[in-house]
């Protein structure tokens, strides 16, 4: 009997193998905010990072810990920290690790809310340079002495550019720079950023991992590849308390999670953990649906352009085919100028008009008028976002039903 189990088998049995209370197959929901200790020395040791345990649920909860363990296994990582949202994970991680004057290189195709966070951090002293991350040379040209991190997404939202993930990972390893990869659009089922030498992995658990649109959550995973002992921004007090390999996540948990308070609730952690069990099944169906729809849209005379890495016409198709198990459930389409994109969306009966991603149901949204409205027309153009773009998050409905809905709307 093999000791290494498959992706879904590992997720399904992760809680059970941790031996939860009373033989439960899922880690129970622990709602306690505070934890009592018979010996006060135990409480002291937890505060001083000398032993594992719980003191106050803002920075740790048994139900959340079980989910963190599950995400770590999915990402083939070293350890993880869960947050209330994906944006909380990004914000807390960056604010806890970097100081005024530190330089970050980020993809110019970042999701609008992530870009907004980086703009705020720029306003308070971080130096952020945006580059076209589909070519590693654009990253290399911007590296300077103060560069501490490169931040990219696997597949950009909404125009689906695929970053030069492997080459950027090699560059960051060569230069000793933190490499943070947002894996939300691919998820650990389609891609593991540790395979391209990522230092830290971000996942919005709200999306494909939770998968049912019923719980917010986010996570950062340390892959174990970055040498935190050489990172200059680690607090001296932490260096005295924990092993070198734990320094990064200790600082993120203590300065990021504890201080900023973006705590994931145990109820949400439980929902996400249960949802994660069917990640592979859901993504297989969603990816197959997405590819079929992308091919349909590409051949339709009223669709000007289709943005989907699974199409051979996509600029990074070969890269995506090499790196990812499948091409994801996210796509965007640009309609012919003769069609009002809002009127088109209102004709859809099955497809839901919504701002979420990674749901079991197919969701749609006009990009320029909503999630990228604040950036303005000029910035949208720089990011390759046309004014008539519609983003689609393809779900697990029967393909024929989805096809019929789009055919009627395009008639």
């Amino acid at each position: 009997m093999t000791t290494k189990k498959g992706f879904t088998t590992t997720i399904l049995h992760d809680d059970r193998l941790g031996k939860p209370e009373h033989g439960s197959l899922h880690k129970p929901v622990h709602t306690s905010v505070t934890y009592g200790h018979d010996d006060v020395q135990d409480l002291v040791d937890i505060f001083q990072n000398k032993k594992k345990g719980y003191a106050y649920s803002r920075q740790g909860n048994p139900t959340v810990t079980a989910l963190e363990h599950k995400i770590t296994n999915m990402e083939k990582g070293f350890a993880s920290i869960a947050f209330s949202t994906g944006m909380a994970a990004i914000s807390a991680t960056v604010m806890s690790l970097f100081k005024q004057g530190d330089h970050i290189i980020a993809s110019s195709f970042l999701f609008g809310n992530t870009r907004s966070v980086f703009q705020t951090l720029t306003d308070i002293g971080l130096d952020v340079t945006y580059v076209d991350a589909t070519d590693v040379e654009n990253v290399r040209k911007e590296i300077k002495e103060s560069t501490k991190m490169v931040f990219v997404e696997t597949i950009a939202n909404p125009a689906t550019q695929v970053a030069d993930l492997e080459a950027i990972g090699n560059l960051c390893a060569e230069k000793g720079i933190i490499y943070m990869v947002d894996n939300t659009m691919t998820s650990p089922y389609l891609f593991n950023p540790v395979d391209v030498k990522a230092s830290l992995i971000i996942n919005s658990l709200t999306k494909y991992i939770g998968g049912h649109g019923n719980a917010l959550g986010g996570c950062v995973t340390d892959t174990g590849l970055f040498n935190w002992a050489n990172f200059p921004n680690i607090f001296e007090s932490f260096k005295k308390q924990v092993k070198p390999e734990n320094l990064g996540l200790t600082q993120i948990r203590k300065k990021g999670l504890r201080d900023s308070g973006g705590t994931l609730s145990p109820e949400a952690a439980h929902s996400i953990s249960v949802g994660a069990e069917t990640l592979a099944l859901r993504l297989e169906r969603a990816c197959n649906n997405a590819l079929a729809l992308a091919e349909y849209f590409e051949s339709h005379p009223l669709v000007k352009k289709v943005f989907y890495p699974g199409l051979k016409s996509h600029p990074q198709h070969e890269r995506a085919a090499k790196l990812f198990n499948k091409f994801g459930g996210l796509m965007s389409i640009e309609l012919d100028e003769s069609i009002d994109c809002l009127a088109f969306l209102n004709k859809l009966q099955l497809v839901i008009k919504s701002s979420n991603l990674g749901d079991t149901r197919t969701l749609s949204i006009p990009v320029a008028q909503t999630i990228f409205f604040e950036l303005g027309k000029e910035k949208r153009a720089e990011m390759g976002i046309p004014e008539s773009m519609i983003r689609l998050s393809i779900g697990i409905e029967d393909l024929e039903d989805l096809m019929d809905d789009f055919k009627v709307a395009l008639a």
Side-chain angles (χ1 to χ4, degrees), residues 128-400:
V128 181
T129 301
Y130 298 97
V131 302
D132 179 347
T134 61
D135 186 345
V136 66
E137 292 308 315
N138 296 326
V139 177
R140 188 187 303 275
K141 286 186 291 188
E142 297 298 336
I143 291 176
K144 50 189 177 183
E145 189 175 341
S146 59
T147 303
K148 297 290 195 301
M149 180 179 76
V150 175
F151 183 100
V152 301
E153 298 161 335
T154 52
I155 301 176
N157 168 17
T160 71
Q161 298 94 339
V162 179
D164 198 353
L165 294 161
E166 189 172 18
I168 295 173
N170 289 332
L171 175 63
C172 288
E174 173 194 330
K175 301 291 185 181
I177 297 170
I178 293 172
Y179 184 28
M180 189 185 296
V181 178
D182 189 326
N183 198 29
T184 299
M185 291 299 103
T186 31
S187 88
Y189 177 62
L190 299 184
F191 179 61
N192 288 125
V194 67
D195 293 337
V196 294
K197 302 180 182 178
S199 314
L200 297 171
I201 304 167
I202 294 290
N203 277 289
S204 171
L205 305 178
T206 314
K207 309 302 191 296
Y208 292 105
I209 291 176
H212 293 77
N214 61 353
L216 291 165
C219 196
V220 58
T221 299
D222 188 335
T223 64
L225 297 181
F226 187 76
N227 185 356
W228 294 103
N230 293 336
F231 189 62
N233 294 350
I234 298 295
F235 284 75
E236 289 299 323
S237 59
F238 296 150
K239 292 180 181 179
K240 299 174 183 177
Q241 295 173 21
V242 300
K243 296 177 181 178
E245 61 267 27
N246 293 321
L247 286 172
L249 283 189
T250 296
Q251 184 147 315
I252 294 169
R253 188 178 293 278
K254 297 289 186 179
K255 303 303 295 181
L257 178 60
R258 181 194 66 189
D259 291 1
S260 64
T263 305
L264 180 66
S265 74
E267 294 86 356
H270 179 74
S271 292
I272 293 166
S273 184
V274 173
E277 294 178 354
T278 58
L279 173 59
L281 284 71
R282 289 182 283 104
L283 263 176
E284 283 287 333
R285 177 71 167 248
C287 291
N288 290 343
N289 281 350
L291 181 57
L293 285 166
E295 290 171 346
Y296 163 72
F297 289 134
E298 190 171 46
S299 65
H300 200 289
L302 293 179
V303 178
K304 191 173 179 180
K305 187 174 182 180
V306 183
F307 303 79
Y308 186 65
L311 295 174
K312 292 181 180 179
S313 57
H314 191 282
Q316 291 89 45
H317 171 73
E318 290 186 8
R319 177 182 297 162
K322 176 186 175 183
L323 291 173
F324 309 145
N325 293 334
K326 286 182 178 289
F327 300 102
L330 175 78
M331 76 170 68
S332 293
I333 58 174
E334 180 184 359
L335 296 173
D336 185 83
E337 291 87 348
S338 64
I339 300 178
D340 183 299
C341 66
L342 301 186
F344 164 78
L345 288 171
N346 283 335
K347 289 181 182 179
L348 295 169
Q349 298 299 306
L350 182 63
V351 176
I352 301 166
K353 280 71 77 176
S354 172
S355 63
N356 192 23
L357 288 170
D359 201 309
T360 49
R361 293 154 286 264
T362 298
L363 312 175
S364 61
I365 193 168
V367 175
Q369 297 85 350
T370 56
I371 52 176
F372 279 82
F373 177 73
E374 290 182 12
L375 283 182
K377 191 172 183 177
E378 185 178 334
K379 286 292 182 185
R380 288 194 294 270
E382 288 178 12
M383 297 176 70
I385 301 172
E387 295 302 290
S388 63
M389 176 183 277
I390 292 171
R391 187 187 73 186
L392 301 169
S393 173
I394 307 302
I396 63 172
E397 296 95 342
D398 294 292
L399 177 59
E400 185 177 343

Side-chain angles (χ1 to χ4, degrees), residues 97-149:
L97 291 179
F98 305 108
K99 298 180 179 180
Q100 185 176 18
D102 284 345
H103 180 233
I104 294 171
I105 300 171
S107 168
S108 58
F109 310 122
L110 287 184
F111 171 56
N113 207 164
T114 306
R115 185 152 183 154
S116 177
V117 168
F118 275 71
Q119 182 57 56
T120 299
L121 296 173
T122 300
D123 292 342
I124 60 175
L126 282 182
D127 179 14
V128 181
T129 301
Y130 298 97
V131 302
D132 179 347
T134 61
D135 186 345
V136 66
E137 292 308 315
N138 296 326
V139 177
R140 188 187 303 275
K141 286 186 291 188
E142 297 298 336
I143 291 176
K144 50 189 177 183
E145 189 175 341
S146 59
T147 303
K148 297 290 195 301
M149 180 179 76

